[in-house]
Amino acid sequence: MPFLGQDWRSPGQSWVKTEEGWKRTTTDDKYNNVSGDSTKSLSFCKEEQEECFSKENLLLSLSYDMAAKKRKKDQTNNNTKVPYFHREKWIYVHKGSTKERHGYCTLGEAFNRLDFCSAIKDTRRFNYVVRLLELIAKSQLPSLSGVAQKNYMNILERVVQKVLDDQQNVRPIKELLQTLYVSLCGLVQDMGKSVLVGNINIWMHRMENILQWQQQLDNIQINRPTSTGMTLIDLPASLQLNIMQCLSDGRDLVSLGQVCPELGALTEDRLLWKRLCHYHFTDRQIRKRLMVSDKGHLEWKKMYFKLSRCYPHREQYSDTLHFCTHCHILFWKDTNHPCTANNPESCTVSLSPQDFINLFKF
């Protein structure tokens, strides 16, 4: 069927609509106006073109309005506080389809269904959840579903708010936010926005929230307690050393030594650092990183920080997630699950945060 405009099959010619029908005209016919009919047809053609242009402008304006409404809706959905926390104390982990069950349980599904809301409030589980969030931020965030990614950010917001209110565990949360921000920068810029579910503007807004949380944590000021009772400095040196031996992170010892010169001298005790080295690292690892002072003594403090840069620390948590190898149920330690085994404790395995993630790698 002929169409308005230049015909690609015959350069310099076009089709115009007349009372007698469609006719092919050349450029010379347009500019010479050889007949009144052609002039009338050209004016009719211009009217048709203007009508087409007006329709196109209307469609463009409608598309712009729809895009603006979509951006506003995305922003509203991102800021809406909907009930996103589940309170299931245990879940069944199925890794394949059977006659009774179809599909399999993913990391995002487990992250959504388990009761992480109560785990944040529990001091025994807090460090476990923070470490799990850090591992997900490093490599597993793109594997989560859209709901799980949103749930991840909402749980992180509650974790930050708890730290701001309690003024405790500031350093691990700073490290978590920094790890997440670096991962998001790589996902948004290098790999592309397709690996993250949702509008890219939402993720840019979430990255801005992370920067705001980091600023709030940097500005936090720990108030000195008003109690006039006995403090750590008032205790005998032997008791102070016993308390320091309960610390499992060398950075905590360094921070404690900056309180006053007396505590600083105690934190330089070689036995403290020797205990830390043997607690976190194996004998083989220690032998590879031996450091001897000029007096012939082992520099345990320097060895500890050198080993920390080469090997991961030993992880120990007050409460962890457990997995029953008999009934394939994932649950918290103090939560009973409907196990059908004769001796349920023999089938239970404690999961570290890394083991929890590896459980869903098929």
Side-chain angles (χ1 to χ4, degrees), residues 86-333:
H86 295 265
R87 297 184 178 275
E88 296 187 28
K89 296 183 178 180
W90 56 268
I91 61 172
Y92 178 80
V93 180
H94 47 286
K95 297 185 178 182
S97 299
T98 61
K99 294 181 179 179
E100 294 79 12
R101 293 179 179 270
H102 294 280
Y104 55 90
C105 183
T106 61
L107 176 62
E109 182 181 355
F111 189 78
N112 285 335
R113 293 173 55 190
L114 282 173
D115 187 12
F116 285 102
C117 179
S118 301
I120 296 172
K121 302 175 184 178
D122 194 339
T123 55
R124 300 172 302 168
R125 303 174 182 174
F126 182 82
N127 292 331
Y128 185 89
V129 176
V130 171
R131 177 58 178 167
L132 181 60
L133 294 176
E134 184 178 1
L135 292 177
I136 292 177
K138 286 182 178 179
S139 60
Q140 300 298 322
L141 192 60
S143 65
L144 300 181
S145 62
V147 176
Q149 290 179 359
K150 184 176 181 180
N151 191 20
Y152 178 93
M153 297 302 301
N154 290 330
I155 291 178
L156 180 62
E157 182 179 0
R158 286 205 170 189
V159 170
V160 174
Q161 190 60 44
K162 176 178 173 56
V163 172
L164 292 175
D165 296 339
D166 300 342
Q167 297 183 348
Q168 298 178 2
N169 301 308
V170 178
R171 186 179 63 243
I173 304 305
K174 285 184 178 180
E175 296 174 355
L176 169 61
L177 293 178
Q178 182 63 25
T179 302
L180 178 60
Y181 186 81
V182 172
S183 299
L184 288 179
C185 289
L187 294 174
V188 172
Q189 298 176 2
D190 300 337
M191 299 177 61
K193 60 184 180 181
S194 59
V195 296
L196 297 174
V197 182
N199 195 311
I200 191 64
N201 296 325
I202 294 179
W203 285 102
M204 298 301 296
H205 177 71
R206 290 170 177 172
M207 293 175 67
E208 293 176 359
N209 289 339
I210 294 175
L211 294 178
Q212 293 178 1
W213 294 338
Q214 289 178 330
Q215 186 66 28
Q216 292 176 359
L217 293 175
D218 291 336
N219 298 333
I220 193 172
Q221 295 181 355
I222 300 177
N223 300 324
R224 188 180 182 87
T226 56
S227 61
T228 57
M230 183 176 294
T231 61
L232 179 63
I233 303 176
D234 301 328
L235 296 176
S238 59
L239 293 180
Q240 292 176 352
L241 284 174
N242 291 336
I243 294 175
M244 293 178 184
Q245 290 176 1
C246 298
L247 299 177
S248 61
D249 196 332
R251 293 172 297 181
D252 294 335
L253 274 179
V254 174
S255 300
L256 183 60
Q258 297 173 353
V259 175
C260 64
E262 292 79 7
L263 292 178
L266 288 177
T267 55
E268 296 296 330
D269 186 78
R270 295 176 59 252
L271 292 178
L272 284 176
W273 296 101
K274 181 179 179 180
R275 287 175 179 269
L276 281 178
C277 289
H278 285 288
Y279 176 76
H280 288 287
F281 311 107
T282 63
D283 294 338
R284 182 179 180 182
Q285 294 172 345
I286 294 174
R287 286 195 299 268
K288 290 182 178 181
R289 308 292 175 180
L290 290 178
M291 300 179 66
V292 184
S293 63
D294 297 336
K295 298 181 180 181
H297 301 297
L298 291 177
E299 296 285 350
W300 290 106
K301 182 177 180 180
K302 295 181 179 180
M303 289 169 54
Y304 170 81
F305 288 106
K306 188 174 182 180
L307 289 167
S308 300
R309 292 190 295 267
C310 300
Y311 306 104
H313 282 192
R314 175 184 175 185
E315 297 181 2
Q316 185 175 4
Y317 305 97
S318 301
D319 193 5
T320 62
L321 285 169
H322 283 63
F323 181 71
C324 180
T325 58
H326 178 76
C327 54
H328 300 283
I329 287 181
L330 188 66
F331 61 99
W332 288 102
K333 180 180 178 181

